[in-house]
Amino acid sequence: MPLADTLWIVDRAKSLGFDLCGVVRAEKFPELERTPEWLARGYAGEMKYLADPRRCDPQSAMPGIRSAIVGLLNYNTEQPLSTDPALPIDDSNPSGWISRYAWGDDYHDVLRERLDALMESLRERFASPFEARAYVDTGPVQERVLAKYAGLGWLGKNTLLLNQMLGSFFFLGVMLTTLDLEPTLGASELPPPDLCGSCRRCLDACPTQAFAEPYVMDARKCISYLTIELRGSIPEEFREAMGNHVFGCDICQDVCPWNRRAPIVTIPQFQPRVFPLPEDRAGASLPPQDASFYLPSLEWFLGLTEADFRELFRGSPIKRTKWRGLVRNACVALGNSGLRPGMAALGRFREILGRLAASEDQALAESARWALSRIQ
């Protein structure tokens, strides 16, 4: 198909809300060939889905695939970074850190809505029958690699896609299609150059030293993996380094120089959720008045019931960690909160942790006992 069709797709994607869009042929790129070695090192941990052989070759992800359309959507909201020394600290009510991407609505839904609208536009423009599938972290594709060869950025030392103008606080959505589209990068054009240079800030800032080497992550040590994907107890060797993280981690992005001037977005779906306390639930374990996903109260999380969790995190990416995972993470964060004898909140938290320490769930009980040992 002529390049004009590709340019039309890019423009249409931007009109539907994507910040950037690129098109790439579905080929087996060099980065994909390194996946088996990465898996053989055990770096995927319990994420067995990453071993799907289709992830190594886009051609196997969908019959008849010819092209991939990659959309990029900025989620960089205005609130301070996790590394900001001016973050508020309240000894009487310790708070946790939720990764910036999870402050608002589930990004899967937000991007999928845009991708579905783009697919509908494609069907209106192209008369010939074609197949297309849209994925947002749900299919056997490596979005970052496709995005690189679609011209949207380079793969940084922290393994994330970086863009010179937008930094790295963005989501990627991919549409695979049987349409034979011209790539946004011409045959003689190379992907954007690696501009990380000699910088090591992301590598050195990682509290758990999750990077085996530049551009290679051992996910088993990553705070995002530990707080979201890991289902059992968090290895004790990483707990203190986790600090107050209860869902995900932004540190390697927060220290990246390319994010210093990243544009701020005002998309309502990505702003921190706020929960006023309903009058009919006064005294229940729902959050206090105007509780927010930005620096949420650990006491709130520790008091959540499974029913509360399902209600509050409906339509949120946080639901992936499940109730037991979130409470486990809050226990670890409380153990790192610096509570000491004489603090007014100590007795309150001892009581909460005491109840959790008696839980039939081994990971919860063990995490609560660890936290108790830290604040005694």
Side-chain angles (χ1 to χ4, degrees):
M1 290 185 175
L3 181 60
D5 287 327
T6 295
L7 298 178
W8 178 89
I9 291 172
V10 171
D11 288 341
R12 182 58 180 154
K14 291 180 179 179
S15 72
L16 291 171
F18 286 104
D19 293 280
L20 293 176
C21 178
V23 176
V24 62
R25 295 198 189 282
E27 299 176 354
K28 194 170 183 177
F29 300 107
E31 289 85 353
L32 301 178
E33 297 175 358
R34 302 175 194 143
T35 300
E37 178 187 355
W38 184 81
L39 292 167
R41 294 183 182 183
Y43 289 165
E46 295 181 3
M47 296 183 289
K48 304 301 182 186
Y49 59 89
L50 295 181
D52 188 330
R54 294 176 297 173
R55 293 177 60 85
C56 296
D57 183 2
Q59 290 288 336
S60 64
M62 174 183 168
I65 181 177
R66 303 296 295 275
S67 310
I69 303 168
V70 187
L72 182 155
L73 182 59
N74 181 7
Y75 67 85
N76 186 30
T77 46
E78 193 171 7
Q79 283 73 12
L81 306 175
S82 67
T83 53
D84 191 330
L87 287 179
I89 298 176
D90 184 351
D91 290 336
S92 66
N93 188 23
S95 59
W97 184 265
I98 292 175
S99 186
R100 184 174 298 263
Y101 80 86
W103 288 349
D105 294 345
D106 194 333
Y107 68 94
H108 297 87
D109 300 331
V110 178
L111 266 73
R112 186 58 191 254
E113 182 179 350
R114 286 165 167 76
L115 287 172
D116 286 346
L118 179 60
M119 189 182 300
E120 184 176 343
S121 296
L122 294 182
R123 297 201 182 281
E124 293 174 356
R125 180 175 177 88
F126 300 108
S128 301
F130 67 91
E131 297 295 325
R133 294 179 187 172
Y135 295 115
V136 182
D137 281 351
T138 53
V141 294
Q142 296 196 40
E143 293 89 350
R144 292 169 299 164
V145 176
L146 294 175
K148 170 184 173 178
Y149 289 94
L152 302 186
W154 73 94
L155 297 180
K157 291 181 181 178
N158 62 1
T159 74
L160 299 175
L161 186 78
L162 298 178
N163 179 278
Q164 190 170 3
M165 301 302 296
L166 298 178
S168 64
F169 287 116
F170 49 73
F171 300 118
L172 296 172
V174 171
M175 186 189 305
L176 306 181
T177 178
T178 56
L179 289 170
D180 188 11
L181 301 169
E182 282 294 316
T184 44
L185 293 181
S188 61
E189 294 181 278
L190 296 174
D194 184 338
L195 299 180
C196 286
S198 60
C199 180
R200 290 183 47 91
R201 296 186 186 186
C202 59
L203 310 179
D204 297 336
C206 179
T208 55
Q209 296 299 291
F211 298 102
E213 57 188 89
Y215 309 99
V216 179
M217 173 183 282
D218 183 347
R220 298 169 299 181
K221 299 179 180 180
C222 176
I223 292 175
S224 288
Y225 169 83
L226 295 169
T227 57
I228 302 173
E229 301 293 338
L230 184 66
R231 296 306 179 199
S233 293
I234 295 171
E236 192 163 348
E237 63 184 296
F238 302 127
R239 293 180 191 175
E240 185 172 354
M242 284 173 53
N244 69 336
H245 290 84
V246 293
F247 186 90
C249 179
D250 296 321
I251 292 175
C252 70
Q253 296 187 83
D254 288 345
V255 301
C256 178
W258 291 107
N259 280 321
R260 288 178 183 169
R261 298 181 182 177
I264 301 297
V265 296
T266 57
I267 298 175
Q269 296 97 319
F270 295 154
Q271 304 307 310
R273 286 187 173 190
V274 176
F275 293 93
L277 179 62
E279 292 182 6
D280 61 344
R281 295 298 301 275
S285 56
L286 284 175
Q289 190 73 23
D290 293 333
S292 170
F293 279 7
Y294 171 70
L295 290 177
S297 162
L298 292 178
E299 185 172 5
W300 162 31
F301 279 173
L302 291 170
L304 286 176
T305 66
E306 289 191 68
D308 292 336
F309 179 86
R310 288 193 296 271
E311 179 179 344
L312 290 169
F313 297 100
R314 185 182 298 115
S316 163
I318 297 175
K319 63 182 181 290
R320 181 170 179 81
T321 193
K322 304 186 184 303
W323 169 79
R324 65 189 298 270
L326 188 65
V327 177
R328 173 203 64 186
N329 300 340
C331 286
V332 173
L334 185 59
N336 291 325
S337 66
L339 284 174
R340 294 292 180 266
M343 291 184 176
L346 188 60
R348 203 167 69 242
F349 283 108
R350 279 177 175 168
E351 181 181 353
I352 296 171
L353 290 173
R355 291 198 302 269
L356 291 171
S359 171
E360 295 181 359
D361 186 292
Q362 183 177 354
L364 272 185
E366 192 274 332
S367 300
R369 289 195 295 269
W370 181 84
L372 275 171
S373 72
R374 299 269 294 180
I375 67 174
Q376 293 293 355

